mmCIF file of all heavy atoms in Angstrom:
data_model
loop_
_atom_site.group_PDB
_atom_site.id
_atom_site.type_symbol
_atom_site.label_atom_id
_atom_site.label_comp_id
_atom_site.label_asym_id
_atom_site.label_seq_id
_atom_site.Cartn_x
_atom_site.Cartn_y
_atom_site.Cartn_z
ATOM 1 N N LEU A 52 8.422 15.096 -4.212
ATOM 2 C CA LEU A 52 7.464 15.323 -3.126
ATOM 3 C C LEU A 52 7.743 16.626 -2.387
ATOM 4 O O LEU A 52 6.811 17.370 -2.085
ATOM 5 C CB LEU A 52 7.462 14.149 -2.144
ATOM 6 C CG LEU A 52 6.516 14.302 -0.955
ATOM 7 C CD1 LEU A 52 5.076 14.438 -1.435
ATOM 8 C CD2 LEU A 52 6.658 13.138 0.003
ATOM 9 N N TRP A 53 9.000 16.921 -2.120
ATOM 10 C CA TRP A 53 9.318 18.157 -1.392
ATOM 11 C C TRP A 53 8.851 19.386 -2.159
ATOM 12 O O TRP A 53 8.359 20.348 -1.578
ATOM 13 C CB TRP A 53 10.806 18.243 -1.055
ATOM 14 C CG TRP A 53 11.701 18.350 -2.261
ATOM 15 C CD1 TRP A 53 12.267 17.325 -2.962
ATOM 16 C CD2 TRP A 53 12.102 19.549 -2.905
ATOM 17 N NE1 TRP A 53 12.990 17.809 -4.015
ATOM 18 C CE2 TRP A 53 12.913 19.182 -4.000
ATOM 19 C CE3 TRP A 53 11.865 20.899 -2.687
ATOM 20 C CZ2 TRP A 53 13.477 20.109 -4.872
ATOM 21 C CZ3 TRP A 53 12.432 21.827 -3.542
ATOM 22 C CH2 TRP A 53 13.235 21.435 -4.618
ATOM 23 N N LEU A 54 8.981 19.356 -3.487
ATOM 24 C CA LEU A 54 8.530 20.473 -4.313
ATOM 25 C C LEU A 54 6.994 20.547 -4.345
ATOM 26 O O LEU A 54 6.421 21.638 -4.332
ATOM 27 C CB LEU A 54 9.098 20.346 -5.730
ATOM 28 C CG LEU A 54 8.797 21.512 -6.676
ATOM 29 C CD1 LEU A 54 9.290 22.824 -6.084
ATOM 30 C CD2 LEU A 54 9.425 21.254 -8.039
ATOM 31 N N GLN A 55 6.351 19.404 -4.351
ATOM 32 C CA GLN A 55 4.884 19.390 -4.309
ATOM 33 C C GLN A 55 4.377 20.032 -3.022
ATOM 34 O O GLN A 55 3.406 20.799 -3.036
ATOM 35 C CB GLN A 55 4.366 17.953 -4.406
ATOM 36 C CG GLN A 55 4.638 17.276 -5.725
ATOM 37 C CD GLN A 55 4.270 15.803 -5.693
ATOM 38 O OE1 GLN A 55 3.319 15.409 -5.043
ATOM 39 N NE2 GLN A 55 5.046 14.994 -6.413
ATOM 40 N N ILE A 56 5.038 19.727 -1.912
ATOM 41 C CA ILE A 56 4.642 20.300 -0.620
ATOM 42 C C ILE A 56 4.855 21.815 -0.624
ATOM 43 O O ILE A 56 4.009 22.575 -0.140
ATOM 44 C CB ILE A 56 5.405 19.619 0.535
ATOM 45 C CG1 ILE A 56 4.956 18.157 0.640
ATOM 46 C CG2 ILE A 56 5.190 20.358 1.850
ATOM 47 C CD1 ILE A 56 5.778 17.316 1.589
ATOM 48 N N ILE A 57 5.953 22.267 -1.205
ATOM 49 C CA ILE A 57 6.210 23.706 -1.290
ATOM 50 C C ILE A 57 5.158 24.372 -2.172
ATOM 51 O O ILE A 57 4.634 25.445 -1.832
ATOM 52 C CB ILE A 57 7.645 23.982 -1.793
ATOM 53 C CG1 ILE A 57 8.642 23.588 -0.700
ATOM 54 C CG2 ILE A 57 7.820 25.433 -2.204
ATOM 55 C CD1 ILE A 57 10.083 23.682 -1.099
ATOM 56 N N VAL A 58 4.843 23.731 -3.303
ATOM 57 C CA VAL A 58 3.800 24.279 -4.189
ATOM 58 C C VAL A 58 2.472 24.368 -3.436
ATOM 59 O O VAL A 58 1.771 25.388 -3.506
ATOM 60 C CB VAL A 58 3.662 23.416 -5.470
ATOM 61 C CG1 VAL A 58 2.393 23.752 -6.228
ATOM 62 C CG2 VAL A 58 4.883 23.591 -6.356
ATOM 63 N N PHE A 59 2.130 23.330 -2.682
ATOM 64 C CA PHE A 59 0.894 23.354 -1.892
ATOM 65 C C PHE A 59 0.888 24.528 -0.925
ATOM 66 O O PHE A 59 -0.080 25.279 -0.846
ATOM 67 C CB PHE A 59 0.735 22.032 -1.133
ATOM 68 C CG PHE A 59 -0.346 22.058 -0.091
ATOM 69 C CD1 PHE A 59 -1.680 22.015 -0.458
ATOM 70 C CD2 PHE A 59 -0.025 22.156 1.255
ATOM 71 C CE1 PHE A 59 -2.684 22.056 0.497
ATOM 72 C CE2 PHE A 59 -1.015 22.194 2.221
ATOM 73 C CZ PHE A 59 -2.355 22.144 1.842
ATOM 74 N N CYS A 60 1.971 24.695 -0.192
ATOM 75 C CA CYS A 60 2.043 25.770 0.814
ATOM 76 C C CYS A 60 1.981 27.149 0.180
ATOM 77 O O CYS A 60 1.221 28.018 0.626
ATOM 78 C CB CYS A 60 3.316 25.634 1.644
ATOM 79 S SG CYS A 60 3.334 24.166 2.696
ATOM 80 N N VAL A 61 2.766 27.368 -0.859
ATOM 81 C CA VAL A 61 2.823 28.693 -1.486
ATOM 82 C C VAL A 61 1.481 29.046 -2.125
ATOM 83 O O VAL A 61 0.952 30.146 -1.914
ATOM 84 C CB VAL A 61 3.975 28.757 -2.526
ATOM 85 C CG1 VAL A 61 3.882 30.005 -3.376
ATOM 86 C CG2 VAL A 61 5.318 28.681 -1.819
ATOM 87 N N VAL A 62 0.917 28.138 -2.889
ATOM 88 C CA VAL A 62 -0.356 28.423 -3.552
ATOM 89 C C VAL A 62 -1.466 28.615 -2.522
ATOM 90 O O VAL A 62 -2.291 29.527 -2.646
ATOM 91 C CB VAL A 62 -0.717 27.315 -4.567
ATOM 92 C CG1 VAL A 62 -2.127 27.471 -5.089
ATOM 93 C CG2 VAL A 62 0.275 27.326 -5.723
ATOM 94 N N SER A 63 -1.488 27.813 -1.474
ATOM 95 C CA SER A 63 -2.508 27.964 -0.428
ATOM 96 C C SER A 63 -2.388 29.328 0.246
ATOM 97 O O SER A 63 -3.392 30.020 0.444
ATOM 98 C CB SER A 63 -2.380 26.860 0.616
ATOM 99 O OG SER A 63 -2.694 25.611 0.053
ATOM 100 N N LEU A 64 -1.168 29.723 0.603
ATOM 101 C CA LEU A 64 -0.975 31.026 1.248
ATOM 102 C C LEU A 64 -1.356 32.180 0.328
ATOM 103 O O LEU A 64 -1.988 33.148 0.772
ATOM 104 C CB LEU A 64 0.481 31.182 1.704
ATOM 105 C CG LEU A 64 0.884 30.369 2.928
ATOM 106 C CD1 LEU A 64 2.380 30.478 3.178
ATOM 107 C CD2 LEU A 64 0.103 30.844 4.151
ATOM 108 N N LEU A 65 -0.989 32.082 -0.940
ATOM 109 C CA LEU A 65 -1.356 33.132 -1.891
ATOM 110 C C LEU A 65 -2.878 33.220 -2.056
ATOM 111 O O LEU A 65 -3.433 34.320 -2.114
ATOM 112 C CB LEU A 65 -0.687 32.898 -3.239
ATOM 113 C CG LEU A 65 0.812 33.182 -3.295
ATOM 114 C CD1 LEU A 65 1.389 32.779 -4.650
ATOM 115 C CD2 LEU A 65 1.089 34.654 -3.012
ATOM 116 N N MET A 66 -3.525 32.087 -2.119
ATOM 117 C CA MET A 66 -4.984 32.104 -2.290
ATOM 118 C C MET A 66 -5.673 32.650 -1.045
ATOM 119 O O MET A 66 -6.625 33.428 -1.159
ATOM 120 C CB MET A 66 -5.506 30.716 -2.649
ATOM 121 C CG MET A 66 -5.112 30.309 -4.064
ATOM 122 S SD MET A 66 -5.891 28.810 -4.619
ATOM 123 C CE MET A 66 -7.552 29.401 -4.914
ATOM 124 N N VAL A 67 -5.207 32.256 0.136
ATOM 125 C CA VAL A 67 -5.813 32.764 1.368
ATOM 126 C C VAL A 67 -5.544 34.261 1.501
ATOM 127 O O VAL A 67 -6.420 35.029 1.917
ATOM 128 C CB VAL A 67 -5.294 31.992 2.598
ATOM 129 C CG1 VAL A 67 -5.674 32.694 3.891
ATOM 130 C CG2 VAL A 67 -5.840 30.576 2.600
ATOM 131 N N GLY A 68 -4.349 34.694 1.132
ATOM 132 C CA GLY A 68 -3.983 36.096 1.288
ATOM 133 C C GLY A 68 -4.484 37.023 0.211
ATOM 134 O O GLY A 68 -4.778 38.189 0.478
ATOM 135 N N LEU A 69 -4.606 36.527 -1.021
ATOM 136 C CA LEU A 69 -4.979 37.399 -2.136
ATOM 137 C C LEU A 69 -6.376 37.131 -2.695
ATOM 138 O O LEU A 69 -7.114 38.076 -2.970
ATOM 139 C CB LEU A 69 -3.943 37.269 -3.262
ATOM 140 C CG LEU A 69 -2.495 37.636 -2.896
ATOM 141 C CD1 LEU A 69 -1.566 37.371 -4.067
ATOM 142 C CD2 LEU A 69 -2.403 39.079 -2.458
ATOM 143 N N VAL A 70 -6.719 35.900 -2.885
ATOM 144 C CA VAL A 70 -7.999 35.576 -3.532
ATOM 145 C C VAL A 70 -9.168 35.645 -2.552
ATOM 146 O O VAL A 70 -10.223 36.185 -2.875
ATOM 147 C CB VAL A 70 -7.929 34.175 -4.199
ATOM 148 C CG1 VAL A 70 -9.264 33.800 -4.795
ATOM 149 C CG2 VAL A 70 -6.841 34.150 -5.257
ATOM 150 N N ARG A 71 -8.975 35.124 -1.351
ATOM 151 C CA ARG A 71 -10.083 35.065 -0.377
ATOM 152 C C ARG A 71 -10.637 36.444 -0.028
ATOM 153 O O ARG A 71 -11.859 36.630 -0.016
ATOM 154 C CB ARG A 71 -9.639 34.335 0.885
ATOM 155 C CG ARG A 71 -10.762 34.154 1.881
ATOM 156 C CD ARG A 71 -10.313 33.267 3.056
ATOM 157 N NE ARG A 71 -11.394 33.062 3.985
ATOM 158 C CZ ARG A 71 -11.557 33.788 5.097
ATOM 159 N NH1 ARG A 71 -10.699 34.736 5.393
ATOM 160 N NH2 ARG A 71 -12.574 33.556 5.886
ATOM 161 N N PRO A 72 -9.800 37.462 0.247
ATOM 162 C CA PRO A 72 -10.373 38.781 0.560
ATOM 163 C C PRO A 72 -11.206 39.357 -0.588
ATOM 164 O O PRO A 72 -12.254 39.949 -0.357
ATOM 165 C CB PRO A 72 -9.152 39.655 0.839
ATOM 166 C CG PRO A 72 -8.078 38.700 1.220
ATOM 167 C CD PRO A 72 -8.357 37.449 0.454
ATOM 168 N N VAL A 73 -10.741 39.167 -1.815
ATOM 169 C CA VAL A 73 -11.500 39.662 -2.971
ATOM 170 C C VAL A 73 -12.825 38.913 -3.096
ATOM 171 O O VAL A 73 -13.877 39.513 -3.329
ATOM 172 C CB VAL A 73 -10.659 39.529 -4.262
ATOM 173 C CG1 VAL A 73 -11.474 39.886 -5.483
ATOM 174 C CG2 VAL A 73 -9.420 40.401 -4.164
ATOM 175 N N ALA A 74 -12.784 37.597 -2.909
ATOM 176 C CA ALA A 74 -14.016 36.799 -3.005
ATOM 177 C C ALA A 74 -15.002 37.180 -1.911
ATOM 178 O O ALA A 74 -16.206 37.300 -2.159
ATOM 179 C CB ALA A 74 -13.670 35.310 -2.923
ATOM 180 N N LEU A 75 -14.516 37.391 -0.695
ATOM 181 C CA LEU A 75 -15.396 37.799 0.402
ATOM 182 C C LEU A 75 -16.003 39.170 0.133
ATOM 183 O O LEU A 75 -17.178 39.408 0.437
ATOM 184 C CB LEU A 75 -14.642 37.803 1.727
ATOM 185 C CG LEU A 75 -14.326 36.440 2.319
ATOM 186 C CD1 LEU A 75 -13.449 36.584 3.557
ATOM 187 C CD2 LEU A 75 -15.588 35.673 2.653
ATOM 188 N N LYS A 76 -15.217 40.080 -0.433
ATOM 189 C CA LYS A 76 -15.724 41.414 -0.745
ATOM 190 C C LYS A 76 -16.864 41.325 -1.754
ATOM 191 O O LYS A 76 -17.876 42.000 -1.616
ATOM 192 C CB LYS A 76 -14.599 42.297 -1.268
ATOM 193 C CG LYS A 76 -15.012 43.742 -1.470
ATOM 194 C CD LYS A 76 -13.826 44.604 -1.825
ATOM 195 C CE LYS A 76 -13.749 44.678 -3.327
ATOM 196 N NZ LYS A 76 -12.747 45.613 -3.813
ATOM 197 N N HIS A 77 -16.712 40.467 -2.748
ATOM 198 C CA HIS A 77 -17.764 40.317 -3.754
ATOM 199 C C HIS A 77 -19.002 39.647 -3.176
ATOM 200 O O HIS A 77 -20.115 39.946 -3.582
ATOM 201 C CB HIS A 77 -17.249 39.537 -4.962
ATOM 202 C CG HIS A 77 -16.392 40.361 -5.857
ATOM 203 N ND1 HIS A 77 -16.888 41.354 -6.664
ATOM 204 C CD2 HIS A 77 -15.054 40.360 -6.051
ATOM 205 C CE1 HIS A 77 -15.910 41.930 -7.331
ATOM 206 N NE2 HIS A 77 -14.782 41.342 -6.971
#
Side-chain angles (χ1 to χ4, degrees):
L52 179 61
W53 65 270
L54 185 57
Q55 294 172 35
I56 293 171
I57 290 175
V58 166
F59 168 75
C60 293
V61 169
V62 170
S63 293
L64 286 173
L65 287 174
M66 289 188 74
V67 168
L69 300 176
V70 177
R71 184 173 182 263
V73 174
L75 287 174
K76 186 173 94 173
H77 283 288

